Amino acid sequence: KYWADVALGILKQKRAISATVRVEWLVHGHILMWFSPLKETSRKLFETYHLSMQVGDFRTAMFSLNLSTRFAVFEGENLQILSRSIGSNLKNMLKHNSECAKLAVLDAVMVDEIRGEDSTPFAVFDGLFLNDDDLMKDALVKK
């Protein structure tokens, strides 16, 4: 936690926006998540998503949005709202970061399972991946 705070402090002084969004994604999404409430972490990552989009760092934006959504699931956000949010962001994620889109589809499947519904998240892949087994095969090939 100490080094995460140091990194964030340095970034605030330098005002290096392009580096800031990546470090904020890393610090909030992978370090401070262990020390902060998930709701706060989710909010910070959503802010990082917006800032990343503004500076044109779409890869970091998509990963920030994905982690923000995942943390929102576990902190108790309304699942119906999250399901719609994930669904509406899938095409944009696929356009800017296909690996992140795969993670988001798995999140959508998880939310669907909890809700007892099927939002057909795999449709975004236009037949390339039909289910989570196809995604697992793809991951193993890239291993």
Side-chain angles (χ1 to χ4, degrees), residues 57-115:
D57 186 348
F58 301 116
R59 182 175 175 82
T60 301
M62 296 302 109
F63 275 119
S64 296
L65 180 61
N66 183 265
L67 275 180
S68 173
T69 303
R70 183 169 297 160
F71 291 154
V73 169
F74 292 112
E75 61 95 355
E77 188 64 48
N78 182 305
L79 293 178
Q80 184 177 6
I81 292 170
L82 283 174
S83 181
R84 276 190 253 139
S85 174
I86 293 169
S88 67
N89 289 314
L90 279 176
K91 285 186 181 180
N92 199 26
M93 283 186 172
L94 187 60
K95 176 182 174 185
H96 294 295
N97 189 333
S98 63
E99 297 303 313
C100 192
K102 294 172 189 175
L103 294 172
V105 163
L106 293 176
D107 289 342
V109 169
M110 176 180 61
V111 170
D112 284 352
E113 289 285 325
I114 295 169
R115 295 181 66 223

Side-chain angles (χ1 to χ4, degrees), residues 20-33:
T20 298
V21 293
R22 290 187 182 143
V23 171
E24 284 192 8
W25 168 76
L26 180 69
V27 168
H28 292 295
H30 301 284
I31 299 171
L32 291 180
M33 63 172 270

